[in-house]
Amino acid sequence: MASFLQVQGLRQAFSAPGGDELVVFDDINFEIERGEFVCIIGHSGCGKTTILNVLAGLERPSAGNAFIDGREIHGPSLDRGVVFQSHALMPWMTVRGNIGFAVKSRWPDWSRAQIDAHVQQFIDMVHLGGSEDKKPSQLSGGMKQRVGIARAFSIQPKMLLLDEPFGALDALTRGNIQDELLAIVQQTRQTVFMITHDVDEAILLSDKIFLMSNGPRAVLAEVVENPLPRDRARATMHHDPRFYELRNRLIDFLVNRSKTYAMA
Ligand SMILES: Nc1ncnc2c1ncn2[C@@H]1O[C@H](COP(=O)(O)OP(=O)(O)OP(=O)(O)O)[C@@H](O)[C@H]1O
Ligand SMILES: [Mg+2]
């Protein structure tokens, strides 16, 4: 049976000054199963955001195709929830308003009471109860990212696309939100594709880790299965010797091997 998400022969090239072509990546192929949490890691500029934008339907590839649930991705859809590195909340709307707006777009026939109840459930899920009426300017960075996550989950997308959602947060806040995301994903079995620079974050959250070589002409160099059980927790996962094996493999890739895949 075909996988839930299929990416075939993806290539992205831009015209560079002087008429040359900058090939960001070429011949990227991968599959993601329903309920899987995949992290993608690679050095800056290798094309991670470009791939995520293609999956979101925000960018067209130069070649190749992406299919979700058997249908080709042509443009943005409420099938896919996206969380960007910097929050993309509407500044004039409250927390409730930002999430409610998405919910109303998804289910235009719902009554106000239905929308409010649904929104509240997702506000509670990210522990933002009490901040429903605040505007983004009144929230901390971590709280804003939580609203973005609640909004993305609230439309119950087939797939969640996360572009370094915690990159701008301090370590403590980041740890707390990672724990929340892990709990939510363990509960919902949401399919997730997430970009991160943080090896420990990838080990904590993912079932599978995609390693991208350095650009230009980056390739999907390795796919690593996470051997740690899915009920892992931040506080204890480093007691498992497999944690260090995996961590060393990922770091060794980033430091030593990511350069060696460049094509002629
Ligand atoms: N519209 C565009 N026109 C020209 N070049 C582009 C365009 N969009 C992206 N690029 C180039 O494509 C490459 C990949 O960019 P992308 O943002 O996907 O990288 P990334 O892996 O997400 O990097 P980072 O980790 O820094 O976020 C970069 O060299 C970038 O300059
Ligand atoms: Mg990026």
Side-chain angles (χ1 to χ4, degrees), residues 95-115:
V95 168
R96 187 185 281 118
N98 267 283
I99 303 171
F101 184 77
V103 172
K104 192 161 172 43
S105 319
R106 174 80 169 78
W107 292 286
D109 301 334
W110 278 13
S111 70
R112 177 74 193 265
Q114 259 176 313
I115 293 174

Side-chain angles (χ1 to χ4, degrees), residues 14 24 43-50 164 197:
F14 297 105
V24 180
H43 285 283
S44 184
C46 69
K48 303 177 297 294
T49 295
T50 306
E164 295 191 60
H197 273 113

Side-chain angles (χ1 to χ4, degrees), residues 77-90:
S77 150
L78 292 165
D79 267 6
R80 281 153 274 140
V82 187
V83 180
F84 299 100
Q85 173 160 12
S86 61
H87 77 89
L89 304 178
M90 288 170 278

Side-chain angles (χ1 to χ4, degrees), residues 62-244:
S62 312
N65 312 86
F67 299 87
I68 187 161
D69 215 3
R71 291 169 63 179
E72 186 161 12
I73 294 173
H74 278 302
S77 150
L78 292 165
D79 267 6
R80 281 153 274 140
V82 187
V83 180
F84 299 100
Q85 173 160 12
S86 61
H87 77 89
L89 304 178
M90 288 170 278
W92 62 92
M93 285 185 180
T94 63
V95 168
R96 187 185 281 118
N98 267 283
I99 303 171
F101 184 77
V103 172
K104 192 161 172 43
S105 319
R106 174 80 169 78
W107 292 286
D109 301 334
W110 278 13
S111 70
R112 177 74 193 265
Q114 259 176 313
I115 293 174
D116 282 351
H118 188 82
V119 168
Q120 192 62 47
Q121 192 187 326
F122 288 86
I123 288 176
D124 294 343
M125 181 183 84
V126 296
H127 302 120
L128 278 178
S131 300
E132 288 86 346
D133 296 318
K134 290 190 177 144
K135 299 213 170 128
S137 61
Q138 298 169 286
L139 303 175
S140 70
M143 291 163 91
K144 284 186 266 210
Q145 283 309 79
R146 283 192 168 94
V147 179
I149 290 168
R151 182 174 60 182
F153 271 90
S154 72
I155 58 167
Q156 299 181 332
K158 286 184 180 171
M159 178 145 199
L160 207 57
L161 303 166
L162 310 177
D163 192 350
E164 295 191 60
F166 315 133
L169 304 178
D170 67 274
L172 209 62
T173 308
R174 185 182 196 147
N176 288 336
I177 304 192
Q178 285 169 350
D179 286 341
E180 279 174 20
L181 180 64
L182 183 64
I184 296 166
V185 168
Q186 283 170 348
Q187 210 183 315
T188 57
R189 307 278 316 171
Q190 172 72 54
T191 311
V192 185
F193 179 82
M194 173 168 169
I195 300 173
T196 179
H197 273 113
D198 181 338
V199 164
D200 292 326
E201 179 168 281
I203 299 174
L204 177 68
L205 295 174
S206 70
D207 300 312
K208 235 183 229 171
I209 301 162
F210 291 174
L211 299 175
M212 254 182 113
S213 68
N214 296 359
R217 285 186 180 275
V219 296
L220 183 55
E222 297 179 23
V223 174
V224 185
E225 298 271 347
N226 188 345
L228 299 178
R230 230 197 176 198
D231 62 354
R232 56 193 167 264
R234 167 201 318 287
T236 51
M237 70 175 179
H238 61 277
H239 297 161
D240 191 323
R242 292 173 295 184
F243 169 78
Y244 291 99

